[in-house]
Amino acid sequence: MGENGMEYLIIDESKCEKDGICVRECPTSIIQLRREDGYPEITGEGICLLCGHCVAVCPHGALSHERILAEDCPAIREELVITEEQAVQFLRTRRSIRHFQDRPVEKEKIQRLIEVARYAPSGANRQLVEWLVLSDKTHLRCIAGLTVDWIRMVIRDPQVVAARPYLPALVSAWEADHDSVLRSTPVLVVASAPKEAINGLIDLTLALAYLELLAPIKGLGTCWAGVLQGALLASSSVRTAVGIPEGYPHFYAMMLGYPEVRFYRLPERKPPKITFM
């Protein structure tokens, strides 16, 4: 350990060019070049975020870290870098899936999605997002029913109905044995973060976005559970049913499953409103 409990950098002096790239890229400016020999070291009173910038940015492969070893950080493979055209199509093919096959999702696929989602950015690299995976049909049906009970209560207020006119239709659909809350999803993935995560909602939203972008590659589709979110925010019984622990004020749920249909075109969206200052 270095001074103030900070980890030392590991420098391969045969490769290091002493160019200071790692110094410039350190988010907390705690890396400096040693005056006596010009090699980088962690110094000062700052805190290492364990972000790995210093390891990732060294073009010579000369730098490692006691907690982020270079051999554990794969090199970026140029043959896997996609073109802008490929990236745009990939992003535009994301669809909200509201009709799922009556088919379970393999645990291995869910595990893989969450493992990739952990690479999403988080405030100060705290990485405090946690995950719940619910797949029992009876339990999911219960959660949907509790959500409908909450909707029945809130639509007694005409102002609520005026603001969200689709809510009475959700109740009618439920009473006709159609789950328009969770869409009969086979899996509900819930991301949450504790109160000490200052940017908790942003952190978990980014993680869920990573998850849903990878899902189609695994043959899966997703839909953000916005109706359920309203119930989660307002009803302690719904939060208990979902399993969100006390002290976790940040949360959001996403439906996950195999889509019933395939999409073939890329619908247009409104042009962006942009103000350049």
Side-chain angles (χ1 to χ4, degrees), residues 24-202:
R24 293 193 297 273
E25 285 302 311
C26 178
T28 55
S29 301
I30 60 172
I31 301 178
Q32 301 294 329
L33 297 180
R34 289 197 297 257
R35 291 184 179 180
E36 59 269 26
D37 58 15
Y39 292 110
E41 67 174 352
I42 290 182
T43 184
E45 298 296 329
I47 298 175
C48 178
L49 300 180
L50 300 178
C51 65
H53 264 29
C54 55
V55 179
V57 80
C58 180
H60 319 296
L63 187 149
S64 193
H65 190 291
E66 286 185 352
R67 297 279 296 278
I68 309 167
L69 299 176
E71 54 264 33
D72 295 332
C73 303
I76 295 175
R77 295 168 56 185
E78 294 297 328
E79 71 272 17
L80 296 182
V81 176
I82 62 177
T83 66
E84 179 181 351
E85 186 176 22
Q86 291 170 328
V88 170
Q89 174 169 291
F90 168 69
L91 293 171
R92 288 187 63 185
T93 54
R94 189 220 68 87
R95 311 303 307 164
S96 293
I97 303 302
R98 294 181 175 86
H99 297 280
F100 297 97
Q101 297 179 38
D102 184 13
R103 172 185 173 187
V105 178
E106 298 86 345
K107 182 179 178 180
E108 294 75 18
K109 288 190 175 183
I110 302 171
Q111 180 83 24
R112 178 57 176 164
L113 294 179
I114 294 175
E115 286 177 349
V116 174
R118 68 193 167 103
Y119 294 114
S122 63
N125 196 37
R126 297 287 301 280
Q127 303 177 53
L128 296 175
V129 177
E130 299 181 22
W131 303 87
L132 293 168
V133 179
L134 293 76
S135 58
D136 180 80
K137 287 184 178 181
T138 302
H139 190 189
L140 292 174
R141 181 78 178 176
C142 174
I143 292 169
L146 289 172
T147 301
V148 172
D149 290 341
W150 168 76
I151 296 172
R152 288 191 180 105
M153 180 184 66
V154 299
I155 61 177
R156 295 172 187 165
D157 185 344
Q159 292 184 337
V160 171
V161 177
R164 293 184 280 182
Y166 56 88
L167 288 179
L170 297 180
V171 176
S172 298
W174 179 263
E175 292 172 348
D177 201 29
H178 175 67
D179 180 7
S180 54
V181 174
L182 293 182
R183 307 286 176 174
S184 299
T185 182
V187 176
L188 190 69
V189 177
V190 185
S192 64
K195 59 184 178 181
E196 56 264 31
I198 298 174
N199 292 321
L201 186 59
I202 302 300

